[in-house]
Every structure is written in C-alpha cells, then in structure tokens.
Amino acid sequence: MKRKNFITLAWISLGTSMFFFLAFTNEKTIENFMLTVLISFMYSFFLGAGNGLINDYLNKKFPWSEATTKRGIISIIVILITNTVLVYFCNYMNFVVFQKAATTQEYFTGRYNFINWFTINVALLISAFLHAKGFMDELKKTSKKEVVEQKLIAKSANAQFESLKNQLDPHFLFNSLNVLSSLIDENPKQAQKFTSSMSKIYRYVLEQKDKELVTIQDEIDFAKTYCELLKTRFEDSVDFEFNVSENDLRKFVVPLSLQLLLENCIKHNFATSSKPLIITIFTQNDCLCIENNLQAREQLRESAGIGLANIVQRYALLTKRNVFIEKSEDYFKVKLPVLEEKPLAEKPKPENDNLAYERAHKRVKELKSFYSNLISYVIVTIFLIILNLITSPKQLWFYWPLMGWGIGVIGHGMSVFAIGKSWEDKKIREIMEKKK
C-alpha cells in the first residue's frame, strides 16, 4: 500500500475512535480514550491495510486485464477466508485481551457470533470496495493503453495506404511515357493521338488516386479508354474482351487496379498479329477477374513488382479478403475481391481516430456509474445497520432496504456486465455478419 493510504487509514481510525469515545463510552478518561484509539487503529489497520495489501498482491499476481474471471474467483475465496480470520482475531483482541469482557472459552462458545458476523460483513464490504476500485483503475489504464495503440495502428495504416497510393502517379507516368517513346519512332501520328488520350487518362488517375474504392463501372470505363491506347500501339497484336455482369457494376474495387494489371499483361507477355495477346476482364464469384493467355517473354532484368504488389497491399488495408493469382501453362489470372460497400470499419481514417477513445470513455462511464451505485449501497447499508443496532437491536429491519436496494444493484451490474448495450451491439454485429 502507498504511504497516503496509511495516512488515510490513520485519520479514519482517529475519527472513528473519537466518535465511539464520545458516543458510547460512559467514563470519559484518558485511559478509555487511549484504549478506544488503540482498538480503532487495530480494526482499521488489520482490516483496511490487510485487505489493501491482499488487493495489491492480487493485482500484481493476477491482473484484472489479463485474467478477469480467474481473478474474480480467487478474490472471492481469498477475501472470505482472510476477512473471517482477521475479524475473529480483532474481536478476540478487543473483547478478550483489551476490554477483558469475556474469556477465551466464552468467546468461542457462540456468545459473540452475531458481532463476528456483523463485523465480517463490514469487512467484506470494505474489501469489495477496494477490489472494485482496483478493477476500475486497471480498466482505465487498459482502456487508455488500447486507445493509444489503436491510434498508432490507425495512423500507421493510413500512412502506409497514402504511401501506396502515391506510387501510382510515377508508375503510370513512367509506363505511359515508355509507350509514347515507342510510338514516336513507329508511328508519329499515332503518338500525337496517344498524347491527347493520355492527358485525359492521367486526369482520371489524378482524380481517383486519392479514393479508397471506386465502382466497377468507373474502373471498366477507364480500362476501356486505356485499352484503346494500347490498341493504338499494338493494333491487332492485342485483343480485349469485357464480360462484366450488370449487377456487379455498382460494386467496388481498388482504383486503378485494372490499369496496373493491364500494364502487367503487356509487360510480361509478347504479342504479335499471328499470336495475339487476348486479355479478358469478367466477374466471377464476387471477384473481378483479369485473365490473359500466357505468352511469357524473356525479362532482360527483374521486374520491380510495383503493380501487383501495390494492389495486394491496398486490399490488405481495406478488407480481409485476399487477391488470388492463378497461373498455368496456358493462362495467367488475377482475381480481385469485389466489395458490396465501402468498408468504413475496415479502413482506419484520421477523422475516426477518436472513435475507440469515445467507446472506451463511454464504457468507463458505465462502470463508474455502477461502482458509484455499489459504493453508495455499501456506505448506506453500514449506516442503516449501525442505526438499527443502536436504536432497536431486537428488531432487525435493515434487511428490507438491504434487499431492495441490493436487487437494484444486481440489476445494474447485469446491465453493465451481462445484458447491457455492449451485448446488444455484439448481437447486432453477429446477425449482420450472418446475413452477409
């Protein structure tokens, strides 16, 4: 326990001793006052400090964040045994050793069973308060840690995504200039036409590169325009076929993915009029497929692999579905996952960095409300028990408010830990996933 906790216990002990000395001691003498202070300090430090040390030990040995269920079971067993032993010891020291109100035999024959039972309940309430406080402190630390980690992950993923998208501009420009350079020597008129068309396509590249996803319709329209440029250079050596279902046109894919894959087809395969390169673009089983007959050319140098790797990494940041590559002796196929809608929850955005913190903050408020209710219940219950025993010890009426409020506390606890909003959200997500 920390030093300030011992100081707090000392002040509580002093205040309690003053109260009992002034209210319940008939002979106001220094000896009786010192005896009251000694007894009060004994109860405070044995019960308060004992439970505090046990709580600190369990926090280190079985943290709430790592083993919540195990810690809860161990805490219940330990505090029941420990508080029973401490209470019997303190009451024995009080009534037998200090006050000499009973002998050892009388103490253990049942005469003080009610007092022991009452004191054990008070000790258990104190212990429950300490463990609840420990749980809340651990929850706050864990929540803050998770929020920081989520923010770092979100920022890292966003930076990685931006880096990948920034590769598109130089990659597209480099490949387009290579095509233009070839056309200038082969067909200057076609080179002029290519330059005009390239400016339109590059405008699309600039417009779409900052988007996470685009519709298949937009991507297909762009791909057709780009294919016309390729036909300008290769003429009958390359042929393109589009067979995309109308129902899939409003679904989403990564922007410029078709353009990068079309470049790969041209780059890694030879094409002649006698052996044309046939590239087919179609949808199949929730995938947008790009397939070409395999006519691999010899590579003078190893490919940098920017195009396909870029697509794979961008999909990895947006969805758990993978990009599939199929290769045989006759064909090469790439399958791009088709997304039904933009996965807002999958892609971390800078403006949503605080979402995890807001949820954690809301959860802490719910727990704080519950534990405030529990602490109030404990304090008021102790007060009512003392009031009942002082005013009418033969008629125990404190059970009724104890039970009534207790049912409310149990219901509050269930709403927070078992059947609350988090349970509803979890079920909603499960149903939505099943429907998908």
Side-chain angles (χ1 to χ4, degrees), residues 292-345:
N292 64 274
N293 55 323
L294 194 60
Q295 300 180 162
R297 68 169 67 183
E298 292 184 6
Q299 298 292 328
L300 297 178
R301 59 180 178 178
E302 187 177 351
S303 173
I306 292 176
L308 188 56
N310 182 289
I311 295 170
V312 171
Q313 291 179 64
R314 283 194 289 157
Y315 263 106
L317 291 171
L318 290 169
T319 179
K320 295 179 180 179
R321 296 176 61 189
N322 296 320
V323 175
F324 290 99
I325 301 171
E326 294 181 10
K327 185 177 181 181
S328 71
E329 295 180 356
D330 300 323
Y331 71 91
F332 183 86
K333 181 192 293 186
V334 178
K335 294 181 178 181
L336 301 177
V338 171
L339 305 179
E340 295 287 342
E341 57 185 9
K342 293 187 178 182
L344 299 177

Side-chain angles (χ1 to χ4, degrees), residues 52-159:
L53 291 172
I54 290 171
N55 186 48
D56 291 343
Y57 173 77
L58 292 177
N59 284 338
K60 294 178 181 179
K61 197 72 174 177
F62 307 101
W64 284 108
S65 58
E66 296 179 6
T68 306
T69 304
K70 185 177 181 180
R71 167 61 191 277
I73 295 172
I74 292 174
S75 296
I76 292 172
I77 296 172
V78 170
I79 64 177
L80 282 173
I81 296 173
T82 304
N83 282 291
T84 301
V85 173
L86 289 176
V87 165
Y88 268 87
F89 172 76
C90 290
N91 283 342
Y92 177 84
M93 294 296 294
N94 180 18
F95 297 109
V96 178
V97 178
F98 295 133
Q99 296 191 46
K100 295 180 173 54
T103 62
T104 301
Q105 185 177 0
E106 290 175 341
Y107 179 76
F108 288 104
T109 54
R111 177 180 173 184
Y112 289 90
N113 283 350
F114 178 78
I115 295 176
N116 288 331
W117 173 84
F118 171 75
T119 313
I120 288 172
N121 278 277
V122 174
L124 291 176
L125 291 173
I126 295 171
S127 183
F129 168 76
L130 292 174
H131 283 270
K133 184 177 181 298
F135 176 78
M136 285 191 66
D137 292 340
E138 183 75 14
L139 179 66
K140 288 179 181 179
K141 291 179 182 178
T142 304
S143 299
K144 288 180 180 179
K145 184 179 179 181
E146 288 180 353
V147 169
V148 171
E149 290 177 351
Q150 289 298 321
K151 284 187 176 182
L152 290 175
I153 291 171
K155 290 178 180 178
S156 175
N158 187 68

Side-chain angles (χ1 to χ4, degrees), residues 124-374:
L124 291 176
L125 291 173
I126 295 171
S127 183
F129 168 76
L130 292 174
H131 283 270
K133 184 177 181 298
F135 176 78
M136 285 191 66
D137 292 340
E138 183 75 14
L139 179 66
K140 288 179 181 179
K141 291 179 182 178
T142 304
S143 299
K144 288 180 180 179
K145 184 179 179 181
E146 288 180 353
V147 169
V148 171
E149 290 177 351
Q150 289 298 321
K151 284 187 176 182
L152 290 175
I153 291 171
K155 290 178 180 178
S156 175
N158 187 68
Q160 185 181 359
F161 192 81
E162 291 299 323
S163 176
L164 288 170
K165 289 193 295 185
N166 289 335
Q167 293 177 357
L168 298 177
D169 283 353
H171 184 256
F172 171 79
L173 186 60
F174 176 77
N175 284 281
S176 297
L177 289 175
N178 281 341
V179 174
L180 181 60
S181 176
S182 300
L183 280 176
I184 289 174
D185 294 332
E186 297 174 5
N187 192 334
K189 292 184 178 180
Q190 291 288 10
Q192 292 179 357
K193 182 179 179 182
F194 184 90
T195 303
S196 176
S197 300
M198 192 182 78
S199 65
K200 297 178 182 178
I201 292 177
Y202 196 69
R203 185 181 299 112
Y204 175 86
V205 173
L206 294 176
E207 290 174 352
Q208 303 298 332
K209 80 176 187 68
D210 291 328
K211 296 181 180 180
E212 297 169 5
L213 295 170
V214 294
T215 62
I216 293 178
Q217 178 72 68
D218 291 340
E219 195 70 2
I220 291 294
D221 291 342
F222 168 72
K224 287 180 178 178
T225 305
Y226 186 72
C227 288
E228 291 177 3
L229 291 185
L230 295 177
K231 288 285 287 184
T232 299
R233 177 186 175 188
F234 293 100
E235 298 180 346
D236 296 335
S237 299
V238 179
D239 193 18
F240 301 94
E241 297 178 4
F242 289 87
N243 187 19
V244 179
S245 172
E246 291 287 336
N247 297 329
D248 295 326
L249 292 176
R250 293 187 179 181
K251 297 179 182 178
F252 296 90
V253 291
V254 167
L256 305 176
S257 53
L258 286 183
Q259 182 260 332
L260 290 172
L261 293 175
L262 288 169
E263 284 183 2
N264 274 358
C265 293
I266 300 297
K267 181 178 180 181
H268 297 290
N269 295 274
F270 69 84
T272 63
S273 298
S274 58
K275 288 186 177 181
L277 179 66
I278 301 174
I279 302 174
T280 307
I281 300 169
F282 59 97
T283 50
Q284 182 183 56
N285 298 330
D286 288 332
C287 288
L288 180 62
C289 304
I290 300 90
E291 181 181 339
N292 64 274
N293 55 323
L294 194 60
Q295 300 180 162
R297 68 169 67 183
E298 292 184 6
Q299 298 292 328
L300 297 178
R301 59 180 178 178
E302 187 177 351
S303 173
I306 292 176
L308 188 56
N310 182 289
I311 295 170
V312 171
Q313 291 179 64
R314 283 194 289 157
Y315 263 106
L317 291 171
L318 290 169
T319 179
K320 295 179 180 179
R321 296 176 61 189
N322 296 320
V323 175
F324 290 99
I325 301 171
E326 294 181 10
K327 185 177 181 181
S328 71
E329 295 180 356
D330 300 323
Y331 71 91
F332 183 86
K333 181 192 293 186
V334 178
K335 294 181 178 181
L336 301 177
V338 171
L339 305 179
E340 295 287 342
E341 57 185 9
K342 293 187 178 182
L344 299 177
E346 295 286 346
K347 168 65 176 64
K349 298 181 180 179
E351 61 267 22
N352 290 335
D353 282 350
N354 292 324
L355 183 59
Y357 178 80
E358 291 175 1
R359 290 178 178 174
H361 182 66
K362 183 180 179 181
R363 180 63 177 166
V364 170
K365 285 182 67 177
E366 291 176 353
L367 292 168
K368 186 177 180 181
S369 173
F370 168 72
Y371 285 118
S372 298
N373 189 11
L374 178 62

